[in-house]
Amino acid sequence: MTEKRIDITQPLWDQNTFVGRFRHFAFISNPLLSMASEKELYEAKELYFKYKEGKEPPNTQLSQVVRAKQLYESAFHPDSGELQNVFGRMSFQMPGGCLITGAMLQWYRTATAVVFWQWVNQSFNALVNYTNRNANSPLSTTQMGVAYVSATSAAMATALTFKYGIQKRAKNPILARFVPFAAVAAANWVNIPLMRQNEIVLGLDVTDENGKIIGKSQLAPVKGISQVVTSRIIMCAPGMLLLPVIMEKIEPKAWMQRIKWAHIGIQTGIVGMFLTFMVPTACAIFPQKCKLSIETIKRFEKDRYEEILKNTDGKPPEYVYFNKGL
């Protein structure tokens, strides 16, 4: 290669800025990436590692390397390097999310519909959370089952409480359209922490600014998981909060009444447009490389602090760093 080499293991854009993070996540969450074949993905992985070692085939173009990087980072787990289930990848968030969200927003009037679509949504979320889990903190089958049942129950309970409690007392028909969002938000605070519970119980590896592991922290995953939950809620908020208002305004129109059969398609299409923009936006709100003050660890995790002190010869860094997950 005669072109300038890149560090293929690092993002192509500055991750200290929101714009840089947005461009990075738009790069790896492009919905079209979920259509790549396994053959194409494994070829990308092979080129990725050959380039990393400086052993790529002669005449390899930089554009080929960038494409291999995009495919590899969109489909393979960053910890284990294993090929992720296509339905759990961030590149599938738009097509998967828009279909389920469109259905939740269309069929919200009966308890049966609310319960069914919350179950479908939490099943999808559980798969996404499992796919993007920290591979260094594996969950047992029992733990995964508890996380799935708990999140699904939380979603259903929130939806039914909202539907038969708040909504009926308020006497406002549009509130019924917000039931799915209330349920999804509540379930995220149950599903994600439970799916990543081992990180909280066992602690997460933390590094210095150069990436050297210097200890563990239980506060690190608490901070990281809180940011991930917030991002996931923000990701679906515009579609689930603005679309109900839009549909409430246009559904009574004569032209909309003539095409009732198309309402689900219209809602799904609009949600898809929201998610195409919101997936990278939500992922970019917080830096992927999260930091935690050593003073916080010293104050609340004395044993962990002593371990870090020992591993840094008594000179701990001002901040420790860790991957917050997605």
Side-chain angles (χ1 to χ4, degrees):
M1 277 185 76
T2 57
E3 297 167 291
K4 181 181 177 181
R5 296 188 71 82
I6 61 172
D7 183 348
I8 199 168
T9 65
Q10 297 300 315
L12 299 176
W13 299 276
D14 182 6
Q15 296 301 285
N16 292 317
T17 69
F18 172 79
V19 173
R21 294 195 295 272
F22 175 86
R23 294 182 70 182
H24 169 68
F25 284 110
F27 179 67
I28 63 172
S29 68
N30 185 329
L32 295 177
L33 296 173
S34 62
M35 300 174 65
S37 67
E38 280 198 20
K39 180 176 181 292
E40 189 177 3
L41 293 174
Y42 278 110
E43 287 175 351
K45 181 179 181 179
E46 183 180 9
L47 178 56
Y48 178 96
F49 282 101
K50 282 185 176 179
Y51 183 86
K52 180 182 176 182
E53 296 165 4
K55 299 177 181 178
E56 71 277 6
N59 302 317
T60 299
Q61 302 296 310
L62 182 60
S63 59
Q64 293 174 285
V65 174
V66 171
R67 176 62 175 173
K69 174 181 173 66
Q70 182 183 33
L71 286 170
Y72 174 76
E73 293 182 356
S74 75
F76 290 88
H77 196 286
D79 295 329
S80 67
E82 294 179 356
L83 182 62
Q84 296 174 313
N85 184 297
V86 64
F87 302 111
R89 299 174 199 165
M90 280 297 138
S91 60
F92 195 76
Q93 278 292 293
M94 190 283 278
C98 80
L99 289 173
I100 296 172
T101 303
M104 285 194 294
L105 293 176
Q106 177 66 22
W107 294 298
Y108 63 90
R109 290 181 175 86
T110 68
T112 301
V114 168
V115 168
F116 175 76
W117 286 109
Q118 286 301 323
W119 169 73
V120 171
N121 186 53
Q122 287 313 311
S123 296
F124 177 63
N125 284 345
L127 181 58
V128 172
N129 295 334
Y130 175 75
T131 302
N132 293 282
R133 73 199 184 284
N134 187 313
N136 297 319
S137 301
L139 286 177
S140 67
T141 303
T142 301
Q143 288 173 314
M144 285 189 287
V146 169
Y148 172 69
V149 172
S150 299
T152 305
S153 300
M156 293 176 182
T158 303
L160 292 175
T161 298
F162 197 99
K163 183 172 181 60
Y164 290 109
I166 302 171
Q167 177 203 337
K168 281 192 174 182
R169 282 198 294 271
K171 305 294 183 185
N172 189 336
I174 198 172
L175 285 179
R177 292 182 180 271
F178 295 132
V179 169
F181 176 72
V184 168
N188 270 320
W189 282 106
V190 177
N191 198 331
I192 298 173
L194 280 175
M195 194 60 75
R196 296 177 60 180
Q197 60 188 278
N198 277 358
E199 297 175 41
I200 301 172
V201 174
L202 303 175
L204 201 59
D205 287 338
V206 293
T207 71
D208 59 18
E209 60 182 4
N210 298 315
K212 179 185 176 182
I213 296 175
I214 56 175
K216 284 182 176 289
S217 170
Q218 289 168 286
L219 288 176
V222 170
K223 180 177 181 179
I225 290 169
S226 297
Q227 292 183 348
V228 169
V229 173
T230 302
S231 293
R232 293 282 188 87
I233 293 173
I234 291 172
M235 187 184 294
C236 67
M240 299 189 83
L241 292 179
L242 296 179
L243 187 53
V245 177
I246 294 171
M247 295 303 292
E248 188 73 15
K249 294 290 184 183
I250 67 174
E251 274 188 353
K253 305 291 185 184
W255 62 272
M256 279 292 281
Q257 289 298 308
R258 288 195 295 270
I259 55 168
K260 284 187 176 182
W261 54 269
H263 289 192
I264 178 63
I266 293 170
Q267 292 200 109
T268 301
I270 297 174
V271 171
M273 288 188 288
F274 276 125
L275 283 175
T276 299
F277 178 75
M278 287 308 300
V279 170
T281 297
C283 289
I285 291 172
F286 303 106
Q288 191 65 28
K289 186 178 180 181
C290 195
K291 68 180 182 179
L292 184 65
S293 167
I294 194 69
E295 287 300 318
T296 301
I297 296 178
K298 181 179 180 180
R299 181 178 179 185
F300 296 105
E301 297 184 282
K302 289 184 170 56
D303 291 344
R304 301 292 191 186
Y305 175 76
E306 292 298 327
E307 179 189 359
I308 293 173
L309 208 59
K310 181 181 178 182
N311 292 337
T312 56
D313 297 323
K315 298 177 181 178
E318 185 179 358
Y319 292 97
V320 295
Y321 300 85
F322 58 96
N323 187 332
K324 72 175 175 64
L326 285 175

Coordinates of all heavy atoms in Angstrom, one line a residue, residues 104-172:
M104 N -46.3 -1.5 18.0 CA -46.7 -1.1 19.3 C -47.5 0.2 19.3 O -48.5 0.3 20.0 CB -45.5 -0.9 20.2 CG -44.8 -2.1 20.7 SD -43.6 -1.8 22.1 CE -42.4 -0.9 21.2
L105 N -47.2 1.1 18.4 CA -47.9 2.3 18.3 C -49.2 2.2 17.5 O -50.1 3.0 17.7 CB -47.0 3.4 17.6 CG -45.8 3.8 18.3 CD1 -44.9 4.8 17.5 CD2 -46.2 4.5 19.6
Q106 N -49.3 1.2 16.7 CA -50.5 0.9 15.9 C -51.6 0.2 16.8 O -52.7 0.5 16.8 CB -50.2 0.1 14.6 CG -51.5 -0.2 13.8 CD -52.2 1.0 13.2 OE1 -51.6 2.0 13.1 NE2 -53.4 0.8 12.9
W107 N -51.1 -0.9 17.4 CA -52.0 -1.7 18.2 C -51.8 -1.5 19.7 O -51.0 -2.2 20.4 CB -51.8 -3.2 17.8 CG -52.2 -3.5 16.4 CD1 -53.4 -3.3 15.9 CD2 -51.3 -3.9 15.3 NE1 -53.4 -3.6 14.5 CE2 -52.2 -4.0 14.2 CE3 -50.0 -4.2 15.2 CZ2 -51.6 -4.4 12.9 CZ3 -49.5 -4.6 14.0 CH2 -50.3 -4.7 12.9
Y108 N -52.4 -0.5 20.2 CA -52.3 -0.1 21.7 C -53.6 0.0 22.4 O -53.6 0.2 23.6 CB -51.6 1.3 21.7 CG -52.5 2.4 21.1 CD1 -53.4 3.1 21.9 CD2 -52.4 2.7 19.8 CE1 -54.2 4.0 21.3 CE2 -53.2 3.6 19.2 CZ -54.1 4.3 20.0 OH -54.9 5.3 19.4
R109 N -54.7 -0.3 21.7 CA -56.0 0.0 22.3 C -56.5 -1.1 23.3 O -57.3 -0.8 24.2 CB -57.1 0.2 21.2 CG -56.8 1.5 20.4 CD -57.9 1.7 19.4 NE -57.8 3.0 18.7 CZ -57.0 3.2 17.7 NH1 -56.3 2.2 17.2 NH2 -56.9 4.4 17.1
T110 N -56.1 -2.3 23.1 CA -56.5 -3.4 24.0 C -55.4 -3.9 24.9 O -54.2 -3.9 24.5 CB -57.1 -4.6 23.2 OG1 -56.0 -5.2 22.5 CG2 -58.1 -4.1 22.2
A111 N -55.7 -4.5 26.0 CA -54.7 -5.0 26.9 C -54.0 -6.2 26.3 O -52.8 -6.3 26.4 CB -55.4 -5.5 28.2
T112 N -54.7 -7.0 25.5 CA -54.0 -8.1 24.8 C -53.0 -7.6 23.9 O -51.8 -8.2 23.8 CB -55.1 -8.9 24.1 OG1 -56.1 -9.4 25.0 CG2 -54.4 -10.1 23.4
A113 N -53.3 -6.6 23.1 CA -52.3 -6.1 22.1 C -51.1 -5.5 22.9 O -50.0 -5.7 22.5 CB -53.0 -5.0 21.3
V114 N -51.4 -4.7 23.9 CA -50.3 -4.1 24.7 C -49.4 -5.2 25.3 O -48.1 -5.1 25.1 CB -50.9 -3.2 25.9 CG1 -49.8 -2.9 26.8 CG2 -51.6 -2.0 25.3
V115 N -49.9 -6.2 25.9 CA -49.1 -7.2 26.5 C -48.3 -8.0 25.4 O -47.1 -8.2 25.6 CB -50.0 -8.2 27.3 CG1 -49.2 -9.5 27.6 CG2 -50.5 -7.6 28.5
F116 N -48.9 -8.3 24.3 CA -48.3 -9.1 23.2 C -47.1 -8.3 22.7 O -46.0 -8.9 22.6 CB -49.2 -9.5 22.1 CG -48.6 -10.2 21.0 CD1 -48.2 -11.5 21.1 CD2 -48.3 -9.5 19.8 CE1 -47.6 -12.1 20.0 CE2 -47.6 -10.1 18.7 CZ -47.3 -11.4 18.8
W117 N -47.3 -7.1 22.3 CA -46.2 -6.3 21.7 C -45.1 -5.9 22.6 O -44.0 -5.8 22.2 CB -46.8 -5.1 20.9 CG -47.5 -5.6 19.6 CD1 -48.8 -5.5 19.4 CD2 -46.9 -6.1 18.5 NE1 -49.1 -6.1 18.2 CE2 -47.9 -6.5 17.6 CE3 -45.5 -6.4 18.2 CZ2 -47.6 -7.1 16.4 CZ3 -45.3 -7.0 16.9 CH2 -46.3 -7.3 16.1
Q118 N -45.4 -5.8 23.9 CA -44.4 -5.5 24.9 C -43.5 -6.8 25.1 O -42.3 -6.7 25.2 CB -45.0 -5.1 26.3 CG -45.5 -3.7 26.3 CD -44.4 -2.7 26.0 OE1 -43.3 -2.8 26.4 NE2 -44.8 -1.6 25.3
W119 N -44.2 -8.0 25.0 CA -43.4 -9.2 25.0 C -42.5 -9.4 23.8 O -41.3 -9.7 24.0 CB -44.4 -10.4 25.1 CG -43.7 -11.7 24.9 CD1 -42.9 -12.4 25.8 CD2 -43.7 -12.5 23.7 NE1 -42.4 -13.6 25.2 CE2 -42.9 -13.7 24.0 CE3 -44.4 -12.4 22.5 CZ2 -42.7 -14.7 23.0 CZ3 -44.1 -13.4 21.5 CH2 -43.3 -14.5 21.8
V120 N -43.0 -9.0 22.7 CA -42.2 -9.1 21.4 C -41.0 -8.1 21.6 O -39.9 -8.5 21.3 CB -43.0 -8.8 20.2 CG1 -42.1 -8.6 19.0 CG2 -44.1 -9.8 19.9
N121 N -41.3 -6.9 22.0 CA -40.2 -5.9 22.1 C -39.2 -6.3 23.1 O -38.0 -6.1 22.9 CB -40.9 -4.6 22.5 CG -39.8 -3.4 22.5 OD1 -39.1 -3.2 21.5 ND2 -39.7 -2.7 23.6
Q122 N -39.6 -6.8 24.3 CA -38.6 -7.2 25.3 C -37.8 -8.4 24.9 O -36.6 -8.6 25.3 CB -39.3 -7.4 26.7 CG -39.7 -6.1 27.3 CD -38.6 -5.1 27.3 OE1 -37.5 -5.3 27.7 NE2 -39.0 -3.8 26.9
S123 N -38.4 -9.3 24.1 CA -37.7 -10.4 23.6 C -36.6 -9.9 22.6 O -35.4 -10.4 22.7 CB -38.6 -11.4 22.8 OG -39.6 -11.9 23.7
F124 N -36.9 -8.9 21.8 CA -35.9 -8.3 20.9 C -34.8 -7.6 21.7 O -33.6 -7.8 21.4 CB -36.6 -7.3 20.0 CG -35.7 -6.6 19.0 CD1 -35.0 -7.3 18.1 CD2 -35.6 -5.2 19.1 CE1 -34.1 -6.6 17.2 CE2 -34.7 -4.5 18.3 CZ -34.0 -5.2 17.3
N125 N -35.2 -6.9 22.7 CA -34.3 -6.1 23.6 C -33.3 -7.1 24.3 O -32.1 -6.8 24.4 CB -35.0 -5.3 24.6 CG -35.6 -4.0 24.0 OD1 -35.2 -3.6 22.9 ND2 -36.5 -3.3 24.7
A126 N -33.9 -8.2 24.8 CA -33.1 -9.2 25.5 C -32.0 -9.7 24.6 O -30.8 -9.9 25.0 CB -33.9 -10.3 26.0
L127 N -32.4 -10.0 23.3 CA -31.4 -10.5 22.3 C -30.3 -9.4 22.0 O -29.1 -9.8 22.0 CB -32.1 -10.9 21.0 CG -31.3 -11.4 19.9 CD1 -30.6 -12.7 20.4 CD2 -32.2 -11.8 18.7
V128 N -30.7 -8.2 21.9 CA -29.8 -7.1 21.7 C -28.8 -7.0 22.9 O -27.6 -6.9 22.7 CB -30.5 -5.8 21.4 CG1 -29.5 -4.6 21.4 CG2 -31.3 -5.8 20.2
N129 N -29.4 -7.0 24.1 CA -28.5 -6.9 25.3 C -27.6 -8.0 25.5 O -26.4 -7.9 25.9 CB -29.4 -6.7 26.5 CG -30.2 -5.4 26.5 OD1 -29.8 -4.5 25.9 ND2 -31.4 -5.4 27.2
Y130 N -28.1 -9.2 25.1 CA -27.2 -10.4 25.2 C -26.1 -10.3 24.2 O -24.9 -10.6 24.5 CB -28.0 -11.7 25.0 CG -27.2 -12.9 25.0 CD1 -26.6 -13.5 26.2 CD2 -26.9 -13.6 23.8 CE1 -25.8 -14.6 26.1 CE2 -26.1 -14.7 23.7 CZ -25.6 -15.2 24.9 OH -24.8 -16.3 24.9
T131 N -26.4 -9.9 23.0 CA -25.5 -9.9 21.9 C -24.4 -8.8 22.2 O -23.2 -9.1 21.9 CB -26.2 -9.5 20.6 OG1 -27.2 -10.4 20.3 CG2 -25.2 -9.4 19.4
N132 N -24.7 -7.8 22.9 CA -23.8 -6.7 23.2 C -23.2 -6.7 24.6 O -22.7 -5.7 25.1 CB -24.4 -5.3 22.9 CG -24.7 -5.1 21.4 OD1 -23.8 -4.8 20.7 ND2 -25.9 -5.3 21.0
R133 N -23.4 -7.9 25.3 CA -22.9 -8.0 26.7 C -21.4 -7.9 26.7 O -20.7 -8.1 25.7 CB -23.4 -9.3 27.3 CG -22.7 -10.5 26.7 CD -23.4 -11.8 26.9 NE -22.6 -13.0 26.4 CZ -22.5 -13.3 25.2 NH1 -23.0 -12.6 24.2 NH2 -21.8 -14.4 24.8
N134 N -20.9 -7.8 27.9 CA -19.4 -7.9 28.1 C -19.1 -9.3 28.1 O -19.5 -10.1 29.0 CB -19.1 -7.2 29.5 CG -17.6 -7.1 29.7 OD1 -16.8 -8.1 29.5 ND2 -17.1 -5.9 30.1
A135 N -18.3 -9.8 27.2 CA -17.9 -11.2 27.1 C -17.1 -11.7 28.2 O -16.9 -12.9 28.4 CB -17.2 -11.4 25.7
N136 N -16.5 -10.7 29.0 CA -15.6 -11.1 30.1 C -16.4 -11.4 31.3 O -15.9 -11.8 32.4 CB -14.6 -10.1 30.4 CG -13.6 -9.9 29.2 OD1 -13.2 -10.8 28.6 ND2 -13.3 -8.6 28.9
S137 N -17.8 -11.1 31.3 CA -18.6 -11.4 32.4 C -19.8 -12.2 32.0 O -21.0 -11.7 31.9 CB -19.1 -10.1 33.1 OG -18.0 -9.3 33.5
P138 N -19.6 -13.5 31.6 CA -20.7 -14.3 31.1 C -21.8 -14.5 32.1 O -21.6 -14.7 33.3 CB -20.0 -15.6 30.7 CG -18.8 -15.7 31.6 CD -18.4 -14.2 31.8
L139 N -23.1 -14.6 31.6 CA -24.2 -14.9 32.4 C -24.6 -16.4 32.3 O -24.4 -17.0 31.3 CB -25.4 -14.1 31.9 CG -25.4 -12.6 32.2 CD1 -26.7 -11.9 31.6 CD2 -25.4 -12.3 33.7
S140 N -25.1 -16.9 33.4 CA -25.6 -18.3 33.4 C -27.0 -18.2 32.7 O -27.6 -17.2 32.5 CB -25.7 -18.8 34.8 OG -26.7 -18.1 35.5
T141 N -27.5 -19.4 32.3 CA -28.8 -19.5 31.7 C -29.9 -19.0 32.7 O -30.8 -18.4 32.3 CB -29.1 -21.0 31.4 OG1 -28.0 -21.5 30.5 CG2 -30.4 -21.1 30.6
T142 N -29.7 -19.3 34.0 CA -30.7 -18.9 35.0 C -30.7 -17.3 35.0 O -31.8 -16.7 35.1 CB -30.3 -19.4 36.4 OG1 -30.3 -20.9 36.3 CG2 -31.3 -19.0 37.4
Q143 N -29.5 -16.7 35.0 CA -29.5 -15.3 35.1 C -30.1 -14.6 33.9 O -30.8 -13.6 34.0 CB -28.0 -14.8 35.3 CG -27.4 -15.1 36.6 CD -25.9 -14.8 36.7 OE1 -25.2 -15.2 35.7 NE2 -25.5 -14.1 37.7
M144 N -29.8 -15.2 32.7 CA -30.5 -14.6 31.5 C -32.0 -14.8 31.5 O -32.7 -13.9 31.1 CB -29.9 -15.3 30.3 CG -28.5 -14.9 29.9 SD -27.9 -15.5 28.3 CE -27.6 -17.3 28.7
G145 N -32.4 -15.9 32.1 CA -33.9 -16.2 32.2 C -34.5 -15.2 33.1 O -35.6 -14.6 32.8
V146 N -33.9 -14.9 34.3 CA -34.4 -14.0 35.2 C -34.5 -12.6 34.6 O -35.5 -11.8 34.8 CB -33.6 -14.0 36.5 CG1 -34.0 -12.8 37.4 CG2 -33.7 -15.3 37.3
A147 N -33.4 -12.2 33.9 CA -33.4 -10.9 33.3 C -34.5 -10.7 32.3 O -35.2 -9.7 32.2 CB -32.0 -10.7 32.6
Y148 N -34.7 -11.7 31.5 CA -35.7 -11.7 30.4 C -37.1 -11.6 31.0 O -37.9 -10.8 30.7 CB -35.6 -12.9 29.5 CG -36.7 -13.1 28.6 CD1 -36.9 -12.3 27.5 CD2 -37.7 -14.2 28.7 CE1 -37.9 -12.4 26.6 CE2 -38.7 -14.3 27.8 CZ -38.8 -13.5 26.7 OH -39.8 -13.6 25.8
V149 N -37.4 -12.5 32.0 CA -38.8 -12.5 32.6 C -39.0 -11.2 33.4 O -40.1 -10.7 33.3 CB -38.9 -13.7 33.6 CG1 -40.2 -13.7 34.4 CG2 -38.8 -15.0 32.7
S150 N -38.0 -10.7 34.1 CA -38.2 -9.5 34.9 C -38.4 -8.3 34.0 O -39.3 -7.5 34.3 CB -36.9 -9.2 35.7 OG -36.7 -10.3 36.6
A151 N -37.7 -8.2 32.9 CA -37.9 -7.0 32.0 C -39.2 -7.1 31.3 O -39.9 -6.1 31.2 CB -36.8 -7.0 31.0
T152 N -39.6 -8.3 30.9 CA -40.9 -8.4 30.2 C -42.0 -8.1 31.2 O -43.0 -7.4 30.9 CB -41.1 -9.9 29.7 OG1 -40.0 -10.2 28.8 CG2 -42.4 -10.0 28.9
S153 N -41.9 -8.6 32.4 CA -42.9 -8.3 33.5 C -43.0 -6.8 33.8 O -44.1 -6.3 33.9 CB -42.6 -9.1 34.7 OG -42.6 -10.5 34.5
A154 N -41.8 -6.2 33.9 CA -41.8 -4.8 34.2 C -42.5 -4.0 33.0 O -43.3 -3.0 33.3 CB -40.4 -4.3 34.3
A155 N -42.3 -4.4 31.8 CA -42.9 -3.7 30.7 C -44.4 -3.8 30.7 O -45.1 -2.9 30.5 CB -42.3 -4.2 29.4
M156 N -44.8 -5.1 30.9 CA -46.3 -5.3 30.9 C -47.0 -4.6 32.0 O -48.0 -4.0 31.9 CB -46.5 -6.8 30.9 CG -46.1 -7.6 29.7 SD -46.3 -9.4 29.9 CE -45.6 -10.0 28.4
A157 N -46.3 -4.7 33.2 CA -46.9 -4.1 34.4 C -47.1 -2.6 34.2 O -48.1 -1.9 34.5 CB -46.1 -4.4 35.6
T158 N -46.0 -2.0 33.7 CA -46.0 -0.5 33.5 C -47.1 -0.1 32.4 O -47.8 0.8 32.6 CB -44.6 0.0 33.0 OG1 -43.6 -0.4 33.9 CG2 -44.6 1.5 32.8
A159 N -47.1 -0.9 31.4 CA -48.1 -0.6 30.3 C -49.5 -0.7 30.8 O -50.4 0.1 30.5 CB -47.9 -1.6 29.1
L160 N -49.8 -1.8 31.5 CA -51.2 -2.0 32.0 C -51.5 -1.0 33.1 O -52.7 -0.5 33.1 CB -51.3 -3.4 32.5 CG -51.2 -4.5 31.4 CD1 -51.3 -5.9 32.1 CD2 -52.4 -4.4 30.4
T161 N -50.6 -0.6 34.0 CA -50.8 0.4 35.0 C -51.2 1.7 34.3 O -52.1 2.4 34.7 CB -49.6 0.5 35.9 OG1 -49.4 -0.7 36.6 CG2 -49.9 1.6 36.9
F162 N -50.4 2.0 33.3 CA -50.6 3.3 32.6 C -51.9 3.3 31.9 O -52.7 4.3 31.9 CB -49.4 3.5 31.6 CG -49.3 4.9 31.1 CD1 -48.3 5.8 31.7 CD2 -50.1 5.4 30.1 CE1 -48.2 7.1 31.2 CE2 -50.0 6.7 29.7 CZ -49.0 7.6 30.2
K163 N -52.2 2.2 31.3 CA -53.4 2.1 30.4 C -54.7 2.2 31.3 O -55.6 2.9 31.0 CB -53.4 0.8 29.6 CG -54.6 0.7 28.7 CD -54.5 -0.5 27.8 CE -55.6 -0.6 26.8 NZ -55.8 0.5 26.0
Y164 N -54.7 1.4 32.4 CA -55.9 1.3 33.2 C -55.9 2.3 34.4 O -56.9 2.4 35.1 CB -56.1 -0.1 33.6 CG -56.5 -1.0 32.5 CD1 -55.6 -1.9 32.0 CD2 -57.8 -0.9 31.9 CE1 -56.0 -2.7 30.9 CE2 -58.1 -1.6 30.8 CZ -57.2 -2.6 30.3 OH -57.5 -3.4 29.2
G165 N -54.8 2.9 34.7 CA -54.7 3.8 35.8 C -54.7 5.2 35.4 O -55.7 5.9 35.3
I166 N -53.5 5.7 35.0 CA -53.3 7.1 34.6 C -54.2 7.5 33.5 O -54.9 8.6 33.5 CB -51.9 7.3 34.3 CG1 -51.0 7.0 35.5 CG2 -51.6 8.8 33.9 CD1 -49.5 7.0 35.2
Q167 N -54.2 6.7 32.4 CA -55.0 7.1 31.2 C -56.5 7.3 31.5 O -57.1 8.2 31.0 CB -54.7 6.0 30.1 CG -55.5 6.3 28.9 CD -55.7 5.0 28.1 OE1 -55.0 4.0 28.2 NE2 -56.8 5.0 27.2
K168 N -57.1 6.3 32.2 CA -58.5 6.4 32.5 C -58.9 7.6 33.3 O -59.9 8.2 33.1 CB -59.0 5.1 33.1 CG -59.1 4.0 32.1 CD -59.9 2.8 32.7 CE -60.2 1.7 31.6 NZ -60.9 0.6 32.1
R169 N -58.0 7.9 34.3 CA -58.3 9.0 35.2 C -58.2 10.4 34.5 O -58.9 11.3 34.7 CB -57.4 9.0 36.4 CG -57.9 8.0 37.5 CD -57.2 8.3 38.8 NE -55.8 8.1 38.8 CZ -55.2 6.9 39.0 NH1 -55.9 5.8 39.3 NH2 -53.9 6.8 39.0
A170 N -57.2 10.4 33.5 CA -56.9 11.7 32.8 C -58.0 11.9 31.7 O -58.1 13.1 31.3 CB -55.5 11.6 32.2
K171 N -58.7 10.9 31.3 CA -59.7 11.1 30.2 C -59.2 11.7 29.0 O -59.9 12.4 28.3 CB -60.9 11.9 30.8 CG -61.5 11.4 32.1 CD -62.2 10.1 31.9 CE -62.9 9.7 33.2 NZ -63.5 8.4 33.1
N172 N -57.9 11.5 28.7 CA -57.3 12.0 27.5 C -56.9 10.9 26.5 O -56.0 10.1 26.8 CB -56.0 12.9 27.8 CG -55.5 13.7 26.7 OD1 -55.7 13.3 25.5 ND2 -54.8 14.7 27.0

